[in-house]
Amino acid sequence: MDILSQLVQLVINGLLSGAVLAMPAIGFTLMFAVLGFPNFGISGHLAVGAFAGWVLNAVYGWSIWLVIPCGFVAAGLVGVATDALVFRRMRTAAPITLAIISVAVTLFLENALRFGFGNTLRTYTVPLTRDWQVGGFRIGTQQVETAAWSLCVMAVLFCVLRYTQLGRALRATADNRALAGVKGIDTQGIARLVVFIGMGLAGASGILLGIDTSIDPLIGFRIMLAVFAAAVVGGLGSVPGAVLGAFVIGIAEEVSQIVLPAVYKSAVGFVLILLFLTFRPSGLLGERR
Amino acid sequence: MALITAHDIVAGYGASEEILKGVSLHVNAGEMVSIIGPNGAGKSTFLKVIAGMLKARRGRIELDGTSIEALEARRITELGVAFVAQEQNTFPSLSVEENLAIGAYLFKGDRRPRMEAMMTRFPLLRERRRQAARTLSGGQRQTLAVAAALMASPRLLLLDEPSAGLSPKAADELFATLQAIRAEGVAILMVEQNALAALEISDRAYVLVLGRNARAGDARAIADDPEIRRLFLGG
């Protein structure tokens, strides 16, 4: 394969992985916009969704496509519970304090999963499929299916945010929480809903990631840097930015393999975070805060 | 009959000193009332207390005889009180149309007739209906903020420095609009930097000094009072 073909193949791979990465990145950025702090608890909730899906799929034999919404709901509900137990009484605390607490929440959830399921790598029961060959390029059918799922979820979320009164209320709360309260919006309820959606997206993406490879309690921890990078590159608080950032990170990680060993792939996100926070803190589509 | 009555309100921010040290006031249905006074008198703080954005440490607020001082801001809005803050009074990333829709958030019926009426009253909002609020000028944003507040069909409109940052022409237009709103039966309680203009269109006025009531009475009489003119109205 010549260098150009290799590049195209890597960009295709990057687009597919970026589509999956976009889901937790949207969740992360949505929660940042409304709650005002980076909730790293998303990594633990991603693992919760992945394991909830695994139990239903591998233990109870449910279809993989049925367990994805279940993983969403499971992670979303655990998110609402952790929010009520831990974060709700601390809404006015400094963002850095809340960010550190969210790391503790992730550690708790990951270790709870480790306690229950051990460290063994687990896989979903999915039908084996042959990769497509298109114009000399290899495209994994499973990856296309997971990317399609992700794009559908993003489309639904976009429509809700854009065209419904609930979506407007959510965006209004992200813009100005005090004013939203004066207008009659139940801002606490919106905060709970955002946590449910954000953690739910993380949980569903945990299953999508697991379909492609395998799952273990640290599945969320391994992609947290890429999720954070996607949100920062796109502009913290911007949902379209998170999608764009996810594709940028997905492609950059894949393309970096031309010059870097694959083991350094995750360093790409780290470098991009550094570059953006230094030279363009508002990200590609974010507003200056 | 009094629509809203505040008795002996004491309030402040956080653990800091009290800003309001016992303010009392009432607004009758369909009346326009101004609050004037020097900087730091607690005028804006008082409006925030009425709107439920800041809880009073002491005192009682009654809307139509119902005690509201312990209610959340959204409950007070539900009871027919709309507040337009001096700054950050629109949602910058939402379009003009979306800001209006959020203004009527608690209204469960069809919002389109109200929105249509608001765009007829403020034609510039129709011209810019799809624009994000952050792209509007200061005066246009102020107009949007008032229109969004009216979308809730309030019985009482609280306005904090509505003409701040407006050109004289835009301020005149705004005051004319406020008179029209009042003529429709909406009571208005206003804090205004342009005190003379506010007194001109108000029925009654209160003068606050250092968090306490200093004077109250007919707006015209207060505007004509030589001492008040000297102290607060620039001559």
Side-chain angles (χ1 to χ4, degrees):
Chain A
M1 205 180 235
D2 61 74
I3 186 79
L4 187 64
S5 304
Q6 194 188 351
L7 186 67
V8 172
Q9 179 69 62
L10 290 171
V11 169
I12 291 170
N13 296 349
L15 284 171
L16 293 172
S17 60
V20 178
L21 185 61
M23 278 174 61
I26 290 172
F28 185 83
T29 213
L30 207 53
M31 288 192 287
F32 181 85
V34 172
L35 304 173
F37 75 97
N39 193 337
F40 295 108
I42 205 161
S43 139
H45 290 79
L46 188 145
V48 166
F51 274 89
W54 179 82
V55 169
L56 294 174
N57 170 253
V59 179
Y60 292 102
W62 290 24
S63 149
I64 192 69
W65 305 122
L66 195 60
V67 306
I68 291 171
C70 296
F72 180 100
V73 172
L77 290 178
V78 171
V80 171
T82 54
D83 185 65
L85 291 170
V86 182
F87 295 108
R88 192 177 171 183
R89 65 197 73 184
M90 307 187 73
R91 290 270 189 254
T92 51
I96 186 70
T97 309
L98 295 168
I100 291 168
I101 292 169
S102 75
V103 173
V105 167
T106 265
L107 290 173
F108 173 80
L109 291 175
E110 286 171 353
N111 282 292
L113 289 171
R114 188 175 282 148
F115 185 73
F117 296 93
N119 282 326
T120 321
L121 292 175
R122 292 164 196 276
T123 54
Y124 294 102
T125 308
V126 287
L128 285 175
T129 51
R130 193 185 292 275
D131 287 353
W132 293 333
Q133 294 288 337
V134 181
F137 299 108
R138 191 174 48 76
I139 302 172
T141 44
Q142 205 81 71
Q143 286 175 305
V144 171
E145 281 175 10
T146 53
W149 256 98
S150 180
L151 292 173
C152 286
V153 170
M154 280 189 262
V156 169
L157 188 66
F158 174 81
C159 289
V160 169
L161 286 176
R162 192 82 202 164
Y163 300 114
T164 69
Q165 185 72 341
L166 180 68
R168 280 189 283 269
L170 201 151
R171 288 187 289 133
T173 307
D175 261 6
N176 186 336
R177 198 186 174 100
L179 181 60
V182 170
K183 296 292 178 192
I185 295 171
D186 175 7
T187 53
Q188 283 288 357
I190 291 286
R192 268 196 302 278
L193 178 72
V194 162
V195 169
F196 180 75
I197 294 173
M199 294 310 187
L201 286 172
S205 68
I207 298 174
L208 295 179
L209 285 164
I211 291 172
D212 200 26
T213 52
S214 59
I215 67 165
D216 70 275
L218 294 180
I219 182 173
F221 177 79
R222 276 192 295 278
I223 71 151
M224 192 58 231
L225 186 65
V227 171
F228 185 49
V232 169
V233 167
L236 274 170
S238 162
V239 171
V243 176
L244 180 63
F247 283 114
V248 169
I249 296 296
I251 293 169
E253 281 189 349
E254 293 295 328
V255 171
S256 70
Q257 291 178 52
I258 293 177
V259 289
L260 287 172
V263 70
Y264 290 117
K265 204 164 87 168
S266 59
V268 172
F270 193 62
V271 170
L272 284 172
I273 289 173
L274 277 178
L275 288 175
F276 269 82
L277 288 182
T278 308
F279 298 108
R280 197 179 163 87
S282 56
L284 294 171
L285 300 182
E287 290 162 39
R288 292 191 184 283
R289 281 174 180 266
Chain B
M1 153 145 190
L3 175 65
I4 193 153
T5 314
H7 303 277
D8 206 18
I9 299 297
V10 175
Y13 298 92
S16 64
E17 203 191 332
E18 290 157 354
I19 292 174
L20 299 176
K21 296 166 183 166
V23 175
S24 297
L25 167 159
H26 76 271
V27 180
N28 296 320
E31 192 182 30
M32 188 170 336
V33 175
S34 283
I35 305 176
I36 63 167
N39 286 341
K43 307 182 294 287
S44 298
T45 304
F46 184 75
L47 290 191
K48 283 182 187 163
V49 171
I50 301 263
M53 295 180 80
L54 179 68
K55 291 292 159 225
R57 293 179 188 168
R58 278 204 312 276
R60 210 168 68 249
I61 306 168
E62 285 172 5
L63 182 71
D64 263 350
T66 308
S67 183
I68 62 165
E69 70 274 358
L71 298 184
E72 280 178 41
R74 70 190 185 100
R75 293 282 169 227
I76 294 172
T77 306
E78 221 163 16
L79 292 172
V81 178
F83 175 53
V84 179
Q86 184 184 354
E87 289 172 331
Q88 298 183 337
N89 49 22
T90 58
F91 299 104
S93 74
L94 270 60
S95 69
V96 165
E97 221 166 34
E98 289 176 327
N99 267 280
L100 292 177
I102 288 292
Y105 185 77
L106 292 169
F107 178 64
K108 299 300 173 207
D110 186 0
R111 297 181 184 90
R112 278 172 301 184
R114 286 190 188 190
M115 203 176 288
E116 200 48 43
M118 222 44 75
M119 288 185 179
T120 305
R121 169 170 261 165
F122 304 105
L124 89 90
L125 299 182
R126 190 188 299 281
E127 286 165 30
R128 297 168 194 274
R129 61 196 300 168
R130 306 236 185 270
Q131 261 181 252
R134 67 165 166 266
T135 64
L136 302 180
S137 70
Q140 291 166 345
R141 265 203 303 274
Q142 197 64 19
T143 304
L144 174 59
V146 172
L150 291 174
M151 283 289 290
S153 290
R155 291 186 292 162
L156 173 65
L157 186 59
L158 305 172
L159 297 168
D160 190 4
E161 308 271 10
S163 77
L166 299 190
S167 66
K169 182 171 174 283
D172 286 346
E173 282 171 9
L174 179 78
F175 288 132
T177 304
L178 296 182
Q179 282 177 293
I181 293 167
R182 181 243 166 148
E184 288 164 15
V186 179
I188 297 176
L189 177 59
M190 167 169 57
V191 166
E192 176 54 46
Q193 45 148 13
N194 188 348
L196 267 178
L199 290 173
E200 241 171 61
I201 60 167
S202 297
D203 300 301
R204 290 187 303 112
Y206 289 84
V207 182
L208 296 194
V209 178
L210 295 172
R212 295 182 200 279
N213 290 76
R215 280 285 299 275
D218 179 76
R220 180 66 51 196
I222 287 190
D224 292 340
D225 185 308
E227 196 188 344
I228 289 181
R229 287 190 83 90
R230 186 174 59 80
L231 288 172
F232 307 122
L233 304 177

